[in-house]
Amino acid sequence: MIADPEKVAAVVAVIDDDQGIREALDGMLRSVGLQVECFASAQEFLAKDDRDKFGCIVLDVHLPGRNGLDFLDDLAALHVTTPVIVISGFADVPMSVRAMKAGAIEFLTKPVRAMDLLAAVEAAVKRDCAMKQAAEKIAGLRADFETLTVREREVFAHVAAGLMNKQIAAALDLSEATIKLHRGTMMRKMRANSLADIVRMADRLGYEPPSLA
């Protein structure tokens, strides 16, 4: 389990005020090749400047100061999307429901079975990798889009709306030859090979094409 190099490179944060449990979870996770950092409180974790490195958080509900459920609210307010696995020795249905609604991807009851925790961590790390890869792609698209001139962005919008060069030329009051030139430059800057590429890019960027009406 957890043999993928990408997953092994992930760092798992364990937040539990019980030193014995922290040590047990640390050993369990390291046994499958994961890197682990342990914290005795939510505040200790939030004091970290490099929280982006974590691929998963294993969180106890009953913590000193801000409890685990309050901590989930803190993460949401900070726009932290790292997957969280909640563990508790005193779980009930309302608690588990609140945890899941607050963004936890799994709720496990202590004593946690190693197989259950490792499976949950593997799923969480895989999800985090996918989210980070998607975010990197969006960031790259936004960077490419920022290189477009105002006119090229207008052409991008009309191409994403499905207009032909002749229609774009009429809409922008330019010659078709000029539109072809701008379109070619725009496609190169956006590293697009087809109309379908531009449509997908506009969708990923949340870009609203102009109305065709």
Side-chain angles (χ1 to χ4, degrees):
M1 187 179 290
I2 313 190
D4 189 316
E6 246 185 353
K7 299 183 182 64
V8 172
V11 182
V12 178
V14 173
I15 307 176
D16 197 304
D17 63 327
D18 187 312
Q19 183 176 348
I21 292 178
R22 289 199 304 273
E23 292 175 352
L25 293 176
D26 181 88
M28 183 192 304
L29 295 167
R30 289 184 186 278
S31 72
V32 294
L34 288 164
Q35 301 179 64
V36 185
E37 284 192 31
C38 295
F39 305 89
S41 68
Q43 291 87 339
E44 188 179 330
F45 174 86
L46 291 173
K48 294 282 291 184
D49 292 327
D50 55 348
R51 295 191 300 266
D52 288 345
K53 71 181 179 182
F54 295 106
C56 172
I57 299 171
V58 178
L59 172 70
D60 184 31
V61 169
H62 299 282
L63 296 169
R66 298 285 285 174
N67 67 38
L69 297 179
D70 292 333
F71 174 66
L72 286 172
D73 294 334
D74 294 338
L75 293 181
L78 292 169
H79 304 292
V80 175
T81 59
T82 307
V84 179
I85 298 165
V86 174
I87 59 175
S88 175
F90 307 95
D92 55 32
V93 173
M95 181 186 293
S96 60
V97 169
R98 181 184 167 189
M100 301 302 276
K101 284 186 175 180
I105 67 166
E106 186 62 88
F107 193 104
L108 301 174
T109 304
K110 295 178 181 177
V112 179
R113 293 196 312 163
M115 184 179 297
D116 292 339
L117 180 62
L118 293 176
V121 168
E122 181 171 20
V125 170
K126 182 176 181 180
R127 174 174 172 171
D128 185 67
C129 286
M131 289 192 298
K132 285 177 177 174
Q133 288 172 356
E136 287 176 3
K137 288 181 180 178
I138 293 297
L141 275 179
R142 292 193 187 284
D144 289 342
F145 187 77
E146 288 299 318
T147 68
L148 300 183
T149 65
V150 173
R151 182 65 79 191
E152 288 162 359
R153 292 184 189 189
E154 290 177 331
V155 172
F156 174 92
H158 285 83
V159 171
L163 272 65
M164 304 292 288
N165 287 344
K166 185 175 182 178
Q167 295 171 302
I168 299 173
L172 299 180
D173 194 25
L174 296 170
S175 70
E176 191 170 347
T178 299
I179 294 301
K180 286 181 180 178
L181 178 62
H182 286 310
R183 181 170 182 158
T185 303
M186 178 273 291
M187 295 284 284
R188 176 179 56 78
K189 288 183 177 180
M190 293 302 295
R191 290 179 274 193
N193 297 313
S194 65
L195 167 62
D197 286 343
I198 294 298
V199 172
R200 282 192 292 268
M201 288 175 180
D203 182 61
R204 289 171 186 164
L205 291 169
Y207 198 83
E208 289 292 336
S211 172
L212 299 182

